[in-house]
């Protein structure tokens, strides 16, 4: 069975990871824009990073048989420097229609500040105007309050919910995200996010419709093979092949296929 990881940060991974991912059945990925471990002080450094993700990373992935797309954004971790953030958003507009760009993200909230909200609103408005999928990051701290605020903003802006993916859900947030009616992402990441076992219990309770799982593998203690590993646990926990395929392949393909530049991996 093939697998698709809809949220992984390959900028921070090695070519060995690509080789192992392909061997495990991961044939396609989406790489959202994120921070690099320290705050950048100039808009041009963000644009240089986005250029790398847009043009170099797909070439690196292709050498190992992995189809790479990306989403670009001013990430929430660095959104409080609005002088830089607003300039990045303006410069992003020149990059949105590049061949490998299939959406905007990850946008969202980190410390849940007014500045972050304004940066989020501008990018959600851009995604809606361009009719592009958007990946929304829920905060690591005070997640329930931050997720509720994101949902309030999505409702206020009357966004097209079929193009909205609210990510990094857990037991606190998934109910309200499902009630909203958009897509729901879940990051299976040791220590700070979900374990495979917790993901299984969420799927038992909330089903597989509009549900996705991802590794969000990055600089931290993370596993780029966690999607196929969790799919295997789903099988062993009694889920059907159709249910496993829906969460680990069909749902992310359906979501990103809303972008005309998305090419589903074979």
């Amino acid at each position: 069975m093939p697998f698709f990881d809809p949220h992984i940060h390959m900028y921070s991974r090695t070519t060995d990871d690509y080789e192992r991912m392909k061997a495990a059945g991961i044939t396609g990925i989406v790489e959202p824009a994120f921070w690099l471990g320290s705050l950048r002080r100039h808009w041009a450094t963000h644009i240089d990073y986005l250029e790398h993700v847009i043009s170099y990373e797909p070439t690196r992935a292709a050498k190992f048989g992995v189809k790479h797309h990306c989403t670009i954004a001013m990430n929430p971790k660095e959104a409080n420097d609005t002088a830089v953030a607003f300039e990045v958003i303006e410069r992003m507009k020149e990059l949105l229609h590049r061949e490998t760009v299939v959406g905007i993200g990850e946008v969202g909230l980190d410390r849940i500040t007014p500045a972050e909200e304004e940066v989020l609103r501008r990018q959600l408005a851009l995604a809606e105007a361009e009719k592009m999928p958007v990946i929304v990051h829920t905060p690591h701290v005070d997640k329930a309050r931050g997720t509720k605020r994101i949902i309030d903003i999505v409702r206020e802006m009357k966004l097209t919910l079929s193009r909205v993916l609210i990510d990094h859900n857990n037991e606190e947030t998934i109910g309200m995200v499902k009630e909203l009616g958009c897509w729901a992402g879940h990051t299976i990441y040791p220590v700070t996010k979900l374990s495979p076992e917790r993901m299984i219990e969420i799927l038992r309770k909330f089903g597989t419709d509009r549900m996705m799982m991802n590794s969000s593998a990055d600089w931290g203690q993370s596993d780029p093979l966690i999607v196929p590993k969790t799919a295997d646990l789903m099988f062993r926990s009694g889920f059907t092949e159709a249910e496993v395929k829906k969460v680990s392949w069909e749902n992310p393909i359906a979501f990103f296929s809303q972008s005309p530049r998305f090419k589903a991996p074979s």
Side-chain angles (χ1 to χ4, degrees), residues 167-263:
D167 213 342
H168 307 316
N169 284 288
N170 63 15
E171 297 88 346
E172 284 189 294
T173 65
I174 183 57
M176 65 179 94
V177 170
K178 289 286 281 186
E179 182 181 357
L180 176 65
C182 63
W183 296 80
H186 305 80
T187 297
I188 307 162
Y189 191 113
V191 183
T192 60
K193 299 184 179 71
L194 292 175
S195 66
E197 293 76 15
R198 289 169 63 193
M199 180 77 250
I200 294 297
E201 292 308 310
I202 287 173
L203 290 170
R204 286 195 196 283
K205 183 174 181 179
F206 292 94
T208 59
D209 287 347
R210 302 188 308 280
M211 301 280 270
M212 300 182 215
M213 55 188 183
N214 64 71
S215 69
S216 196
D218 56 14
W219 309 103
Q221 183 185 354
S222 49
D223 185 355
L225 305 185
I226 203 66
V227 170
K229 287 178 180 179
T230 305
D232 180 64
L233 182 59
M234 288 180 70
F235 278 122
R236 291 187 282 113
S237 300
F239 286 85
T240 67
E241 181 175 349
E243 289 171 322
V244 176
K245 187 175 183 181
K246 188 171 184 179
V247 173
S248 60
W249 177 262
E250 293 175 351
N251 283 350
I253 296 291
F255 177 72
F256 287 108
S257 289
Q258 295 176 96
S259 166
R261 285 178 298 283
F262 180 76
K263 299 181 178 72

Side-chain angles (χ1 to χ4, degrees), residues 61-134:
K63 292 177 181 177
F64 299 90
V66 177
K67 185 67 179 176
H68 181 289
H69 294 91
C70 69
T71 61
I72 63 173
M74 179 67 228
N75 76 85
K77 191 84 171 178
E78 298 176 89
N80 288 290
D81 185 348
T82 53
V84 170
F86 293 163
E87 186 68 28
V88 170
I89 294 169
E90 286 303 309
R91 302 280 176 166
M92 273 171 47
K93 296 175 183 178
E94 303 168 11
L95 305 174
L96 285 177
H97 300 289
R98 297 279 291 275
E99 182 181 0
T100 60
V101 179
V102 295
I104 292 176
E106 52 189 305
V107 303
L109 299 176
D110 179 51
R111 289 185 283 155
I112 321 177
T113 65
E116 291 171 9
E117 288 195 11
E118 179 58 27
V119 171
L120 171 60
R121 286 177 180 275
R122 292 189 184 201
Q123 294 183 97
L124 291 176
L126 182 58
E128 185 71 9
E130 295 286 343
K131 296 181 170 58
M132 299 185 82
V134 59

Side-chain angles (χ1 to χ4, degrees), residues 26-67:
I26 299 172
T27 60
I29 60 174
V30 167
E31 178 162 2
F34 80 137
W35 77 308
L36 302 184
S38 60
L39 302 180
R40 285 163 281 195
R41 293 172 290 179
H42 195 276
W43 64 262
T45 58
H46 287 268
I47 301 303
D48 287 343
Y49 157 71
L50 294 178
E51 184 63 48
H52 171 100
V53 174
I54 291 169
S55 58
Y56 178 70
E57 211 56 51
T59 302
R60 192 163 74 110
K63 292 177 181 177
F64 299 90
V66 177
K67 185 67 179 176

Side-chain angles (χ1 to χ4, degrees), residues 1-15:
M1 177 182 292
F3 301 103
F4 192 98
D5 192 333
H7 188 142
I8 185 168
H9 300 292
M10 293 308 295
Y11 182 92
S12 61
R13 309 301 301 194
T14 68
T15 52

Side-chain angles (χ1 to χ4, degrees), residues 160-171:
T160 304
L161 295 178
S162 64
R163 292 197 297 266
V164 176
L165 167 59
I166 296 182
D167 213 342
H168 307 316
N169 284 288
N170 63 15
E171 297 88 346

